[in-house]
Amino acid sequence: MVVYLKRKLIIIPEKCRTTVAFSTHGVRLSQAQAKTEAPKPDRMNKTPPESKSYAVNMFRGNVVPEQCFPYPDVLSPDQHETLEMLVSPTEKFFAEVNDPAKNDALEKVPDDIMENLKEMGAFGLQVPTELNGVGLNNTQYARLVEVVGANDLGIGITLGAHQSIGFKGILISGNPEQKKKYLPDVATGTKIAAFCLTEPGSGSDAASIKSRAVLSSDGTHYILNGSKIWISNGGIAEIMTVFAQTPVKDPKTGVTKDKVTAFIVERAFGGVSHSKPERKMGIKASNTAEVYYEDVKIPVENVLGEVGEGFKVAMNILNNGRFGMGAALSGTMRSAILKASDFAANRLQFGRKIETFGAIQEKIARMAIKHYVTESIAYMVAGNMDRGFTDYQVEAAISKIYASEAAWWVVDEAIQVMGGMGFMKDAGLERVLRDLRIFRIFEGTNDILRLFIALTGIQYVGAHLRQLQAAFKNPAGNIGVIFGEASKRAFKSVGLGGGKSKALEPHVHSSLSTQAEYASEAVELIGQAVEAILMKHGKNIIEEQFVLNRLAEAVIDTYAMAVVLSRASRSIERKLDSVDHEILMTKVFCNEAIGRVRSNINGMKASSSIENYKIMSQISQTICKTGGVAHVNPLGI
Ligand code: MYA
């Protein structure tokens, strides 16, 4: 792995080089090929993959509204009614039966609580009803998960590790026999599931796992050996989605290479054992353990997806589950804001309620705005998944990053508003803060996901620029492509073509027109910045993480702007009771976000910023070489 993400680069020949192009699912060349080959006619005519993802298209400077405007509205009246019937008993259960502080102290979800959750159907929320599940769609699931997140994140992880990722592979990639065999038991919680990817030597670099499964000589089963660490539900799971290297012969070259394959492993196969539960900072009620596999015999019919395609299976499961985190943490924030605002509205200091002080007002307003953004993104992603869109991975990553950072900030500030009271265990916030810390780390660290966002978008741009470059080799045959691009650029340079800054005007309510202009401007800035960094860095862009991080930041803010504008516009249209409040939050968020976007875009190119990145790199290297802080104590002793 070069720098975390091994994107394969294609260099466009120098003489017509405007930028570099990257491999994509649809367009793929080795570096050597790209350097030497003239584009072949069929490749010239090949249309690069088209995505309708709002976030991905921002990298080309395009507003593609389909997956953002109007705000999704996917529930039928029946689905709405089902959800209503589920939400209130779930809230009642958490308010009256479950005790999160007790679970935290016990470092376990007590057996009676587990049984209650099973009876409520909480272990199979998205499994079809004919396979013993509740049959919810993603939007309905998000709403219930929000209730869980509002009350007990330890239970949230037990449930989430089980269904959000543990058996999700069977649900989305399993064949009918696998679904029929495994889903009924996991849906009822009779058998608990786990997702087993991470290994001692393989965290963020998921493709580098060492566990290995070899086909038996009679071809009936695989023999799995290896170990996994930090597996949520690892000590209690009966059914595991396990990723392991398997030897795979390339049909074209005949060369055999190890490639990742996904397996459904039953503890009952034998050879599966686990460590005692890990002692953790938070989410203590959830079980986390190492899992060991020793000559585990896995029947060939338990391969999940295709042999050698396990990395994609893993990524799809993770992409598919990420919105759940956004929804759960939106619930967590809602609870924290309730506590902080209740305290602020009652606490007297200096003869006044502290809610009347600007210092407290700013905190509470920002907490609410971050919650509004988190919630809006989570339901946008869930809604788009329910509408059948499949290119939501960048948005899902944005949801996870935004939610985990916003929740941390909100709960930390809630403690600050409550002062000494917030620091006390009885306030119930210190546990939540401990629970929250892992959310920026697991399911893809936020750092890795930022790079994933930036590089996925750049890859998309690269494919389109490559088509343009190929078209210039045969201008006569590609007049449409060239003219389309040339006119787009010409319009852009003189601010015409509908004016990019007006691109969102038709989709956003007129009372938010200034903010819509900011959101459109941000898209345009991103498009220009991506072209500029590709021209400047070429294939080395993957090494420019200081720059990529700033690009990802700009993308996150710009996507969030569009989402809240979409939601607020719908609230205006529907004349919701909270509409005025929503407009105010949307205005503040967008007014501030455009400033951050401009600053991050500037930070991708300003020479003073670039100089600082070089210096920071040097500082870090010195510290790591020294083995800690490199400057001496001011006292010299
Ligand atoms: S589970 C462990 C979580 N671990 C991770 O998330 C691992 C993070 N690492 C990665 O995601 C990947 O290794 C990265 C890829 C991104 C670094 N979608 O050369 P590449 C394709 C689709 O860039 P790498 C846990 O924490 C890519 O296009 N495709 O790969 C438990 C390329 O395709 P092609 C993707 O350099 C937590 C190919 O793969 C994606 O190795 C418990 C190779 O790409 C993607 N995302 O780096 C949580 N990425 O070859 C409980 C790559 O065709 C849940 N590709 O060009 C809590 C839920 C909340 C509560 C719920 C309550 C009920």
Side-chain angles (χ1 to χ4, degrees), residues 370-387:
K370 282 181 190 284
H371 174 259
Y372 188 65
V373 175
T374 303
E375 187 182 70
S376 305
I377 297 177
Y379 283 97
M380 172 72 81
V381 176
N384 281 337
M385 289 166 73
D386 287 331
R387 290 163 72 204

Side-chain angles (χ1 to χ4, degrees), residues 1 4-8 23-25 28 141 145 148 155-157 159-161 163-165 195 197-198 203-207 230 232 311-312 315-316 318-319 321-322 324-325 328 393 439 441-445 448-449 452 459:
M1 179 157 90
Y4 300 122
L5 302 176
K6 300 171 289 232
R7 301 285 157 171
K8 299 105 196 159
S23 78
T24 69
H25 300 286
R28 201 164 174 172
Y141 175 78
V145 159
V148 181
I155 286 187
I157 296 310
L159 295 173
Q163 60 197 313
S164 198
I165 53 176
F195 178 83
L197 176 66
T198 306
S204 292
D205 185 5
W230 306 322
S232 298
F311 188 72
K312 292 260 167 76
M315 292 303 118
N316 287 339
L318 291 166
N319 292 335
R322 279 189 183 123
M325 203 177 270
Q393 48 272 44
F439 284 79
I441 299 171
F442 65 12
E443 273 213 340
T445 66
I448 274 293
L449 290 181
F452 169 71
Q459 207 171 11

Side-chain angles (χ1 to χ4, degrees), residues 94-112:
F94 277 107
E96 296 174 8
V97 182
N98 182 58
D99 179 353
K102 180 177 153 197
N103 302 349
D104 180 64
L106 282 174
E107 302 202 3
K108 185 179 181 334
V109 183
D111 294 344
D112 59 323

